Amino acid sequence: SYCDVLQQLPMISPYARYRCATFIHHSHSHDSIKPLSLSLMNKKLCTNRFDPPSKVTARQPGATQLAMLQRTSPSPWSPGSWEIMLDFGREESSERNDNSQLSNILGEEWGSNGGRLALSFEIVASAETTNEKSGGESSVQMTWLGGKPTGTVECVSRTRNNDENYCASYINERGQQNVQISSGQWRIEPPLPLLPTYSNILPGQASTLRFYIELATSIKRNSITFPKDQLLLLQSNTFRTQQYSSGVQTLLPYQYYKDISQKQVEEQLNHETGDRRLDGNDILETLGGYKDVAEMVLERDKQRRKWREVEGVLPKLDSTIDTSRKVDINKLLEDEDRWGIWPGDTELMTIERGVILAVVAKEPKQKMGLFPWMQDGSKVEEPVVVGKWSILPI
């Protein structure tokens, strides 16, 4: 068969390995005791060094996808209208988010007991830039943008019956509270290689959108509180239409091997249909079963590590997508609600869920020395993760 021929070849392309593994997965008998990882991966079909495929691993573009890819803005400098939601609160601790830093800077009470505060408002992203009112290129804002802002983000004001202008509102124990938000500037940074594993950027790797805004009004709801003129830094992965299509095709093999290796472990350990050698009736058979399970767990962990290396810079796929089958990019691109105009290119852009950082002035640590009175006692401004944000085009 096609896969039998491939297994005899000394060098197998990642694309061929992906297609062959998908074929074997569907044709493999469910009542077979021998695990797929041993019959497939140990034959050097999938154990070679994995690189992103150079060929398409998804269905070819259909009419809907081509229509989306051809949709453009009138000009690369056309402004875009978006609705943004800021979701303040403590996020789960992870390698990328250390809650101990938040507690040290904002205190243990901030965001305690699962407190959240959400602000939703409209913005206009334009290609116009303004001069910073203070600090110049040495300010925190310019440092966040790498000293090169490429446009402005401005809140669309609303008006109440009393002619009060505001950008967003929320409800606390005192009723509806209106919030005014100062405009900021933005920059889109091109992707960088994931060193040391990859010396070149991956096909479809995300660009990074950075911008800042200021809360011109203090806000407080339960344990979430910010003072007036609080500076917020926002960051997220972004994709233009062609970039997104390429990114999905790059991600599919990583996602597939991660998912299928986990499924193999679960099937092997299943009490009803799993490997009967693990029942312990024959000590030699049981040892062989444990050896196979250990190999499968190692393989699963290896595929997870490879996936983690790239998942932070490639499009996020819905958990309901079955990577063991061909993924229809048409359905991913036909969701017009996620594609909008953002200056810098005529291609439409989608923005994934990102992080919010608050810049907080922190007392410097006291240092002992021969001349402690000569030390600078000025406060140090530090950014700390205070929530997530999402955005949709209008």
Side-chain angles (χ1 to χ4, degrees):
S1 66
Y2 171 70
C3 286
D4 291 333
V5 173
L6 283 179
Q7 291 176 10
Q8 306 301 321
L9 300 178
M11 296 297 294
I12 307 299
S13 71
Y15 172 68
R17 282 186 275 128
Y18 172 72
R19 294 295 303 274
C20 185
T22 306
F23 169 80
I24 293 182
H25 171 66
H26 288 300
S27 61
H28 190 264
S29 175
H30 293 287
D31 58 356
S32 175
I33 295 179
K34 192 171 183 55
L36 177 58
S37 64
L38 299 181
S39 63
L40 176 62
M41 296 180 180
N42 287 354
K43 291 183 179 180
K44 296 185 178 181
L45 183 61
C46 301
T47 54
N48 295 335
R49 182 181 181 278
F50 182 80
D51 294 310
S54 58
K55 298 185 179 180
V56 177
T57 58
R59 291 181 182 175
Q60 295 295 329
T64 305
Q65 182 181 351
L66 291 175
M68 282 298 302
L69 294 176
Q70 293 169 1
R71 279 184 56 193
T72 59
S73 63
S75 164
W77 315 120
S78 298
S81 297
W82 298 72
E83 182 175 7
I84 184 173
M85 173 176 284
L86 308 181
D87 183 14
F88 297 107
R90 286 180 180 263
E91 302 298 327
E92 294 184 4
S93 294
S94 64
E95 296 178 0
R96 302 173 183 175
N97 178 39
D98 185 4
N99 272 332
S100 62
Q101 182 190 23
L102 187 149
S103 299
N104 293 335
I105 297 178
L106 295 179
E108 294 288 346
E109 293 300 320
W110 195 94
S112 59
N113 301 321
R116 313 292 299 189
L117 192 159
L119 295 178
S120 179
F121 54 95
E122 296 180 12
I123 63 168
V124 174
S126 69
E128 300 178 358
T129 57
T130 59
N131 295 325
E132 277 298 296
K133 58 185 178 181
S134 64
E137 293 189 359
S138 63
S139 66
V140 175
Q141 293 94 324
M142 291 298 98
T143 301
W144 179 246
L145 301 180
K148 299 177 181 179
T150 51
T152 301
V153 171
E154 185 175 0
C155 172
V156 178
S157 297
R158 312 174 191 175
T159 304
R160 296 193 66 183
N161 295 333
N162 57 1
D163 295 332
E164 176 188 1
N165 292 329
Y166 67 99
C167 287
S169 63
Y170 66 97
I171 304 295
N172 63 9
E173 66 276 6
R174 300 175 60 185
Q176 178 174 324
Q177 305 298 315
N178 298 326
V179 182
Q180 189 59 267
I181 299 174
S182 301
S183 61
Q185 298 191 86
W186 62 268
R187 169 179 168 80
I188 294 180
E189 298 178 349
L192 296 174
L194 298 176
L195 299 175
T197 306
Y198 303 96
S199 58
N200 299 314
I201 63 172
L202 301 174
Q205 186 172 325
S207 301
T208 302
L209 170 65
R210 291 172 177 255
F211 67 93
Y212 66 87
I213 53 177
E214 286 188 4
L215 299 176
T217 309
S218 62
I219 60 176
K220 177 177 173 54
R221 183 178 186 274
N222 298 329
S223 57
I224 304 296
T225 177
F226 287 112
K228 181 181 178 181
D229 297 328
Q230 173 64 64
L231 175 62
L232 301 176
L233 311 177
L234 291 86
Q235 174 178 302
S236 177
N237 287 345
T238 66
F239 301 89
R240 301 288 180 178
T241 48
Q242 293 282 1
Q243 186 180 12
Y244 184 87
S245 178
S246 297
V248 171
Q249 294 168 12
T250 300
L251 177 66
L252 284 178
Y254 293 98
Q255 188 91 17
Y256 169 80
Y257 285 127
K258 177 185 74 73
D259 294 344
I260 197 64
S261 60
Q262 175 62 36
K263 185 176 181 180
Q264 292 163 9
V265 173
E266 294 174 355
E267 291 177 349
Q268 190 78 352
L269 298 177
N270 187 286
H271 291 291
E272 300 294 332
T273 60
D275 193 341
R276 298 271 67 87
R277 295 176 298 172
L278 301 178
D279 293 342
N281 297 325
D282 185 299
I283 186 169
L284 294 179
E285 290 290 329
T286 301
L287 289 175
Y290 284 147
K291 178 178 178 294
D292 290 346
V293 170
E295 291 178 355
M296 297 176 69
V297 170
L298 290 175
E299 180 66 25
R300 180 200 63 183
D301 293 344
K302 182 178 71 173
Q303 299 303 333
R304 281 182 176 179
R305 285 193 299 270
K306 292 179 179 179
W307 173 79
R308 287 197 185 101
E309 283 183 328
V310 302
E311 60 93 18
V313 298
L314 294 174
K316 297 283 189 296
L317 293 183
D318 190 275
S319 58
T320 60
I321 293 179
D322 184 4
T323 56
S324 64
R325 303 178 181 274
K326 289 184 179 180
V327 176
D328 189 357
I329 301 183
N330 293 333
K331 294 183 179 180
L332 301 178
L333 286 174
E334 69 185 6
D335 184 7
E336 298 184 8
D337 292 338
R338 66 184 298 176
W339 297 97
I341 295 175
W342 194 281
D345 201 305
T346 57
E347 282 191 49
L348 301 185
M349 191 170 82
T350 184
I351 304 174
E352 296 193 336
R353 189 171 173 85
V355 296
I356 310 171
L357 297 96
V359 178
V360 182
K362 181 183 178 183
E363 294 288 348
K365 294 181 179 180
Q366 295 294 331
K367 297 181 180 180
M368 302 301 294
L370 295 176
F371 308 104
W373 60 85
M374 297 180 60
Q375 298 177 8
D376 185 4
S378 59
K379 293 184 177 181
V380 179
E381 292 183 320
E382 291 192 18
V384 59
V385 176
V386 293
K388 295 289 185 69
W389 66 282
S390 57
I391 189 170
L392 289 174
I394 298 176

